[in-house]
Every structure is written in structure tokens, then in C-alpha cells.
Amino acid sequence: MPAPTRRPIVAGNWKMNGNKPLVDLMQNQLEQADLAHLDVVICPPFPYLGLFKSGVTLGAQNMSSFESGAHTGEISGLMLTEFACRYVIVGHSERRADNNESNDEVALKVAAALKIKLTPILCIGESDSVRESGKLFDFIAAQLDAVIKQIGITQFSKIVLAYEPIWAIGTGKTASPAQAQEVHQFIREHLAKQDKHVAANIQILYGGSVKGSNAKELFSQQDVDGGLIGGASLDPDDFLSICLAAKQ
């Protein structure tokens, strides 16, 4: 049986950055480029979602696990769909750290997103201390298992995964292509214990100081299906070079 062909995805996570001029620059850059070989997703801060014109696939950086109610400062998934969002980042390491989001809370957000047909970009990854302790794979497995317990393995066919080594986010450090592949392969093998078809076809992105200069080598790894891009997504030229590096 031939190996599955997974369509590459490059998602730009602007975090708490950006402005109106950057929206226009990114819109123009993406409109002029030939990016038929992959899916490109832009995840700006909430206020800028409504400024993009049609033709740009949008994702949000977070959502509540609640549909509505007295949750000041939160955003529901239904609100995101009104701004044509198709994706939502869930469980980013900065949310887990800054807002104490547990594996179980992240799993509830994944379930809430799927309920309204938003595609979760589920982030998983370890800190330096976890990697050095030798518990890397147990840590990753626990993050995955909490979501499997909540939604079941078959629902993973509707999810995008993003492996983000926390020690490589915003530090200038990058996991070597071999390190990235090792963890991506483990993720796929862990899911395959429950459903080989889901595991073979799920898109797993790498996130951690990806730049135009290193994207091609990272994306050439067998189990790396694109990237969740932080800082470089704020530079339209660098972001475009990353997108072009995903060409199969």
C-alpha cells in the first residue's frame, strides 16, 4: 500500500503582535504568491480577524471551552466562525504556562472546537527540564492521551497536531531536523497503537524558531508536514519563503 500523501500546512501565529499595516502587507503577499501546493493559515490577534479579506484562511489563537456565558475576556468558538475562522490553536505552550491550562482543559477546548466544525491545531511539547529528565515521550503521550480520552481516536482525523519544543520557542534555538523527526515519529506511532489509518494521515506540524533559512530541511523530514510559525510569521517575506519551502 502506498504511503499517504499529507498536504502541507504552514500556520502563522502572530501571538500578541501585529497591526493594521501588517494585515495589509500579509494579505497582499499571500494574494500575489503561488501557494497551491499547501494550506496557509494566518492566526492574528482577535481584533484583526475581521480585517482580512476573503482568500486568506484564518485561525484564532485560542478559544473558550464554553459556548457562551459569564466568562469575561473569553471568546467562544461560535464567535470565531462568524469571522470565517476555520482553525483555532489549542493548548499552545504559552497558554498552558501563562494561564495554567491543564491537559484536561485543552482536551475540552478541542472537543468544543470540533463540535462547531473548527479545526483545532493541537499543540504539544516539552520543556528543557522534561527533555533532560528522560521523560520526553511519557510527557508527550500524556498530552495526547488526555485528548484521546475526551474525544476518541477517530476524531483525530479532524485535528492538526503541532509539536513545539518549548525550549525552542522564541529562544533562537531550533530542534535539529533529526530531533524533530524523532518526536513526530513517536507521535504517529503512539496514535497508531489505536488507529493506524488516523496516525498515517494526520498532519503534524513543527513549531519552534522556524525560519526561511531552516524550513526546507525541517519540512523534508518524513513525519513533518509543515510548521506552526511564530516570529517569522510577522515578516511577510520570511513567511512566504517558509511557505515555499513546504513544496513537496
Side-chain angles (χ1 to χ4, degrees):
M1 181 181 295
T5 301
R6 296 180 295 268
R7 184 171 172 82
I9 299 176
V10 171
N13 176 17
W14 287 10
K15 306 188 182 184
M16 198 173 69
N17 299 294
N19 49 37
K20 289 182 179 180
L22 180 59
V23 170
D24 293 336
L25 285 171
M26 188 64 72
Q27 178 88 44
N28 293 335
Q29 185 77 287
L30 295 179
E31 285 178 345
Q32 295 172 19
D34 180 5
L35 300 173
H37 62 284
L38 84 164
D39 293 327
V40 179
V41 184
I42 301 296
C43 303
F46 291 129
Y48 301 132
L49 285 169
L51 298 182
F52 280 91
K53 304 170 189 174
S54 61
V56 174
T57 301
L58 294 174
Q61 297 178 18
N62 180 44
M63 63 172 278
S64 174
S65 59
F66 297 100
E67 291 184 3
S68 61
H71 305 288
T72 300
E74 293 292 335
I75 302 291
S76 77
L78 287 172
M79 294 173 183
L80 297 177
T81 62
E82 290 188 314
F83 285 88
C85 272
R86 289 174 50 193
Y87 293 82
V88 59
I89 298 171
V90 178
H92 192 280
S93 61
E94 291 158 4
R95 295 289 311 178
R96 292 180 189 259
D98 296 348
N99 299 85
N100 298 311
E101 291 188 6
S102 66
N103 288 343
D104 290 341
E105 172 64 15
V106 170
L108 288 172
K109 291 188 177 189
V110 171
L114 291 175
K115 185 177 180 180
I116 55 174
K117 295 182 170 54
L118 275 172
T119 299
I121 300 176
L122 171 61
C123 298
I124 55 179
E126 83 287 358
S127 65
D128 250 339
S129 60
V130 170
R131 176 172 279 268
E132 291 170 2
S133 73
K135 297 179 180 179
L136 162 63
F137 296 124
D138 290 340
F139 188 85
I140 297 293
Q143 291 180 317
L144 291 168
D145 290 345
V147 181
I148 294 172
K149 181 180 179 181
Q150 179 67 38
I151 66 170
I153 188 63
T154 58
Q155 290 290 88
F156 270 66
S157 63
K158 303 173 184 176
I159 289 174
V160 174
L161 289 176
Y163 167 60
E164 41 162 26
I166 298 169
W167 47 270
I169 298 176
T171 64
K173 298 179 181 178
T174 308
S176 70
Q179 286 175 316
Q181 169 59 24
E182 179 186 35
V183 180
H184 282 230
Q185 181 178 340
F186 168 79
I187 293 167
R188 213 175 291 285
E189 290 175 348
H190 186 73
L191 297 177
K193 294 175 184 177
Q194 299 199 41
D195 192 312
K196 291 182 179 179
H197 178 76
V198 167
N201 287 279
I202 193 168
Q203 293 147 309
I204 308 176
L205 313 183
Y206 172 75
S209 297
V210 180
K211 303 178 285 292
S213 58
N214 61 21
K216 186 172 183 178
E217 190 174 8
L218 285 164
F219 295 168
S220 68
Q221 301 303 303
Q222 181 177 344
D223 290 299
V224 177
D225 304 311
L228 178 60
I229 315 302
S233 69
L234 301 171
D235 182 328
D237 290 331
D238 202 19
F239 186 68
L240 178 59
S241 70
I242 294 170
C243 292
L244 295 175
K247 196 158 192 171
Q248 299 292 308

